[in-house]
Amino acid sequence: MTDTESSGCRAGTASLSVGQVARAAGVTPNAVRFYERYGVISAHRNSGNARRFTVDAICRIRLALAAQRVGITLKESAGILSGVPPMSPDPDRWAAAGQELVRMGRDRIDRLQATVTELSTLGFLGADLSAVRRPH
């Protein structure tokens, strides 16, 4: 078992390849590059111009993936995760980012539930239609 596989989301100084991050985060290498383009993670280039990531890229991808499942966009996740500096060992910063994603997720769920309720009662059909002109 490699250090990446055993470390989960703990901070470390490992310099990981796209493939290593992909395997550890449970995504494809193309997805890693996609998350980088959206600013969820960042890479540095080695002397051979290959992307290298720190271990916290795995955590950032995992958080963004979970957030996406409740409709939080990558841009929104990137904005929240930008408050956690790369390789931050501060659990409070990670917890704050996670709590904000949870808050946003619950807000999305509440709005979806209200929409489903409206659809199930067909309440939107009873809207005031008096402003609609009927042809003469």
Side-chain angles (χ1 to χ4, degrees), residues 13-16 36 42-47 49-54:
T13 58
S15 180
L16 306 174
E36 183 186 15
S42 61
H44 66 275
R45 299 282 183 156
N46 66 10
S47 60
N49 204 31
R51 287 178 176 93
R52 303 303 290 183
F53 299 89
T54 55

Side-chain angles (χ1 to χ4, degrees), residues 22 27 52 63 66 68 71 78 92 106 123:
V27 298
R52 303 303 290 183
L63 282 169
Q68 281 181 284
D92 291 338
R106 286 186 175 143

